Amino acid sequence: MSIAESLTPTVRTRLRRAGFWMVCAVGALVITLIAIALTGGNAAQTRPLQADSPAPSGAKGLVTVLEEHGVSITTADSATDAAEGLAGAHATLFVYDEGGFLDARGLSQLAEKAANVVVMTPDFADLREIAPGVRAGGAEPDDAAPVAAQCTVPAAQAAQTADVLYTFRIDNGVDAHGCFPATDGRYGLVSIPRAAGPLTLLGDPNAFSNEAILHGGNAALALNLLGANDELVWYLPTIADVETDAPPTLGELTPPWVVPFTVLLALTAIAAMFWRGRRLGPVVVEKLPVHVPARETVEGRARLYERGNARVHAIDTLRMGAVSRLAGLLGLPPSATAWQVADATASLLARDPRQVRAVLVDDLPSSDSQLMALSDAVNDLETRVRATIDETGRM
């Protein structure tokens, strides 16, 4: 340690000690940002049966094959986009509302504009609106064996077999055809004849995904259902389809007492500023520089050290001054370390170097009394060196 060096850790020392944790924090931040970027970049591809998603749950494989067979596909994220895609075209509408964003009435209005309609896993309200007499029939086990078509619907006959996940029940007297029958009169596909074209209800959203499109007759079923016309609108409803009233304005949400209370508070603050400003009186002009006695500066700094319990920093400051003065008295260069000054002092006074080092470097106070004792020891050591040098000079 040099003469001007402090025992109190500096900013550089603290940064060096915290370097490992800073590097860990930066590394964790970089990893988090990379993960967020990757997740955000693929967020649009994680929706099930999204037309342009190559993910296992997406449907890019089926869409690509349909386009190769001459089917023009329009993707829609809202009922407005889907209606525009159906306008003036003899098109097939495919709807998969996994999040339940589209209400039953909106689905019925879109179905009226399409030639063929294929709805994947409709809920109870959708069934009541677009397919009266057809009810939800429950779910089948995931490991259930593929089921034969056993119906006259051309698309189902082409598929021959299919996996059945969710089923439908057909009430007596309803003009509908059930395919892929499960037990107890339940079906994995229901086709309802209409004047414009059939309405088909499907109960297995995984059948059209990239992961399962090649299983069994899924590909044949999908191509025949969705490729019946040259135009296909692929509609996956989003939050934009949720019908809500306009949100209340800030004025509607604000209680009636807020405005007068705020005005009163502002007037009170202005009055308080004038009151306090007049009470302080005019500004006193004082010539600079202002002479501050050294004793006041020392006492003020000492009070700050005492208030903050900065005993180490206080004794450190006293030692730095004492070591600097002792080096000058002993004729040592400015680059001499505190330990070199301590050894030279011990040699001059014929004292144990360890005791002198303890006073000038090593001992740290843990209480105010120890601080005062160590301060007195530093002052006494400097006084003895001066006295010894003066005595040697007279001799």
Side-chain angles (χ1 to χ4, degrees):
M1 186 176 94
S2 63
I3 295 175
E5 190 175 0
S6 171
L7 293 176
T8 303
T10 62
V11 175
R12 181 179 300 178
T13 303
R14 293 181 184 275
L15 290 176
R16 188 183 304 113
R17 293 176 180 175
F20 172 76
W21 299 109
M22 293 175 65
V23 171
C24 291
V26 172
L29 179 61
V30 171
I31 294 174
T32 303
L33 292 177
I34 293 175
I36 292 174
L38 293 177
T39 304
N42 294 331
Q45 300 180 358
T46 57
R47 296 180 59 196
L49 298 188
Q50 183 162 331
D52 59 351
S53 173
S57 61
K60 187 175 182 180
L62 172 59
V63 170
T64 301
V65 175
L66 287 170
E67 290 177 339
E68 292 176 352
H69 283 72
V71 179
S72 177
I73 300 177
T74 301
T75 59
D77 293 331
S78 66
T80 303
D81 295 339
E84 292 177 355
L86 295 172
H90 191 72
T92 299
L93 173 65
F94 171 70
V95 182
Y96 177 43
D97 188 9
E98 181 197 21
F101 297 118
L102 183 65
D103 62 359
R105 182 56 184 167
L107 176 60
S108 177
Q109 292 174 352
L110 286 176
E112 292 174 357
K113 300 177 182 179
N116 294 6
V117 180
V118 178
V119 181
M120 186 72 74
T121 60
D123 59 20
F124 293 98
D126 295 336
L127 290 175
R128 286 196 301 267
E129 183 69 28
I130 64 174
V134 179
R135 296 175 289 114
E140 288 293 298
D142 292 338
D143 57 351
V147 180
Q150 300 184 24
C151 67
T152 59
V153 177
Q157 288 181 334
Q160 296 182 0
T161 62
D163 295 330
V164 174
L165 183 57
Y166 298 104
T167 60
F168 306 96
R169 292 183 182 275
I170 304 175
D171 293 341
N172 296 329
V174 176
D175 185 13
H177 304 285
C179 300
F180 308 109
T183 57
D184 302 330
R186 295 177 293 127
Y187 302 92
L189 179 149
V190 173
S191 178
I192 303 174
R194 300 186 312 159
L199 167 66
T200 303
L201 308 176
L202 284 173
D204 189 359
N206 190 51
F208 290 0
S209 66
N210 296 326
E211 183 179 22
I213 189 62
L214 298 180
H215 294 175
N218 291 343
L221 179 64
L223 292 176
N224 283 276
L225 284 177
L226 303 181
N229 299 300
D230 293 336
E231 299 287 337
L232 171 63
V233 176
W234 192 284
Y235 175 37
L236 304 181
T238 61
I239 192 67
D241 294 311
V242 178
E243 295 183 0
T244 58
D245 296 333
T249 62
L250 182 61
E252 296 173 346
L253 294 175
T254 304
W257 56 266
V258 171
V259 175
F261 176 79
T262 305
V263 173
L264 179 61
L265 186 63
L267 294 176
T268 304
I270 294 174
M273 286 189 291
F274 277 103
W275 168 58
R276 294 297 296 178
R278 291 178 59 85
R279 184 177 179 180
L280 292 176
V283 179
V284 177
V285 180
E286 187 174 359
K287 294 182 179 181
L288 296 177
V290 179
H291 175 70
V292 180
R295 180 180 180 84
E296 293 184 9
T297 304
V298 172
E299 289 181 355
R301 185 174 296 180
R303 290 192 184 97
L304 291 175
Y305 288 160
E306 182 182 9
R307 186 177 302 172
N309 292 326
R311 303 184 185 92
V312 175
H313 192 75
I315 194 62
D316 205 17
T317 303
L318 296 175
R319 282 169 168 171
M320 289 171 59
V323 168
S324 179
R325 292 189 293 272
L326 287 173
L329 293 173
L330 296 173
L332 296 176
S335 60
T337 64
W339 289 279
Q340 291 174 340
V341 175
D343 292 342
T345 302
S347 177
L348 177 67
L349 301 178
R351 295 177 60 176
D352 187 354
R354 290 177 295 181
Q355 296 179 355
V356 179
R357 286 190 177 188
V359 173
L360 292 180
V361 179
D362 295 332
D363 286 353
L364 297 177
S366 59
S367 63
D368 292 343
S369 59
Q370 292 182 7
L371 173 63
M372 295 303 300
L374 196 54
S375 174
D376 293 339
V378 172
N379 184 61
D380 179 70
L381 194 64
E382 185 177 354
T383 302
R384 289 180 180 275
V385 169
R386 289 182 183 276
T388 302
I389 292 176
D390 291 342
E391 184 179 353
T392 303
R394 289 196 299 269
M395 295 176 63

